[in-house]
Amino acid sequence: MSKDEKEPDTHKGGGPEASKHDMPTAPSMQKIVPGKEHRRGAILDSTETSALRLMGDSYPMPSVSLGRPPVSDQLYVGFRAIDEVPNELFAKYDVKRGLRNADGSGVLVGLTTISNVHGYNKVDGKLVPDEGDLIYRGYHIRDLVSHPQEEDRFGYEEIAYLLISGALPTPDQLDDFKARIDSRREFPTDFLGVFPRRTRSHSIMNVMARSVLMLYAFDPIPDDTSPEHEVDVALSMLGRLPRIAAIAQAANRAAEENARLVVPAAEPGFSMAETVLDILRGDEGFTHEEAMMLDVMLMLHAEHGGGNNSTFSCRVLSSSGTDAYSAYSAAIGSLKGPKHGGANSKVGEMIDDIGAHVGNWEDDDEIASYLAQIVQGQAFDRSGLIYGLGHAVYTLSDPRAQLVKKYARKLAKIKGQEERLNLIERIEDLGPQVMRDVKGITKPICANIDLYTGFVYSMLGIPEEMYTPIFAIARMAGWASHRMEELYGSSRIIRPAYNSYMPENEYVPLAERAKESRIWT
């Protein structure tokens, strides 16, 4: 058996340094942390938590309690007549829709030393496709990912330190950084008395956003925007977000299973990847290979430029001088949107659908034929989209997708998932040509990281509802770095302009207005 094929050691922890704490148990020889059964954390029964009941609003929405008679039509649909701007007006007034130029490139709104998302060059005012690259603080992502992997150590914390501080850490600085995150794993006293009692929701992202805002109340100086406090809050978020997400998920599971809510305990010394798998897996354990694969995903999701929607949201709020908790909560709220953070789940559904309808996963013609049906809107969700293909910046390749494929192959072999990975690679290879043939698309199309994210997470046994929360946990380092750059670098409130094209109206006294409801035009 080759080195790549050897059976991995299963343990509650990652690298060789954890082996002295491992204890085998028969018959599976699975290794767990001694005393794990005693450190599962608080167990809250139905009198202490809302995990067994979801409290609804006793007052119905107005459209339900008061109905929808004609008099309410103007209120509910009147705006549609004036808010739907004719497409030709955007061109007439040279409006940068979505803060994008006519050629699809982003409108330049700032300067940054944090990262560079490269997918094309501009030559004589025209976009020239190029191989994709992602650069953090001057370092190429392939180097930042490959070196920790080759050294068999976790790299997310190193990247987080780089993004926040601006430099790669020394061994002592990295140890200090990890210790500071560790010191903020636990929640404030009485926090669990409110959370999750008042925060259960079907959306883990919603719970995370509200929990971040709630932590404002536990901070004695929450509005302090000094560098020291900003770094402290960022460290707190890196330490606490994984457990916040885990408790939110545990509350929903407890309700579904009519069980008591178990609050996961913090395990000192774990990396971010180990922490996430530990709180999700519990006593089941996880392998070192699994943790290393998740570490790759966290590194690739840590940062992606100032223009992505959640980071820009964070920068917009930060530019007003508001507190860190408000800015990070807004970023989470943005990432929650299905156009931003939720694409990986849709990709997974699509791949399942393709796998079910294609008889031979090695037949390129059969796969291409079914992809054509998807693009024609005749299959899958009828949207005409091949999810996981195409990107706002990357043209010829997404470096994140290439790295995921590289490191997912080993785990796929261990998990017996190589056929599914091969199918996804065929979708990547065949999809762009199908889109060109069916829709006549001429611009370059490449796979983005979402094509592979769901597959990797499913191999790691991560439930689908946790895909986007893990994205948020990883992106926290990027949000923090951009917030501080906005606070201390730009120091000017963000305020783009909107052109008005509405007509002027003459005010009519209330008593003289028509009594019937009408749609304003």
Side-chain angles (χ1 to χ4, degrees), residues 68-81:
R68 278 294 318 280
V71 71
S72 70
D73 286 346
Q74 178 68 34
L75 174 63
Y76 280 97
V77 299
F79 61 88
R80 293 291 298 275

Side-chain angles (χ1 to χ4, degrees), residues 183-263:
S183 73
R184 298 294 287 181
R185 296 283 188 202
E186 299 294 348
F187 295 122
T189 304
D190 297 329
F191 184 78
L192 287 176
V194 183
F195 172 79
R197 178 187 290 191
R198 304 299 182 200
T199 59
R200 189 195 155 211
S201 167
H202 71 279
S203 170
I204 295 174
M205 292 293 286
N206 175 268
V207 176
M208 290 176 71
R210 287 186 286 121
S211 299
V212 169
L213 282 177
M214 192 185 304
L215 287 171
Y216 174 100
F218 291 88
D219 187 335
I221 50 171
D223 291 304
D224 181 6
T225 58
S226 68
E228 183 175 276
H229 187 256
E230 286 295 330
V231 172
D232 279 345
V233 174
L235 294 169
S236 297
M237 293 298 102
L238 289 170
R240 288 170 170 169
L241 279 181
R243 295 187 66 226
I244 287 173
I247 293 172
Q249 189 218 23
N252 279 342
R253 289 294 173 89
E256 292 172 359
E257 299 169 6
N258 195 28
R260 291 182 300 173
L261 172 60
V262 178
V263 178

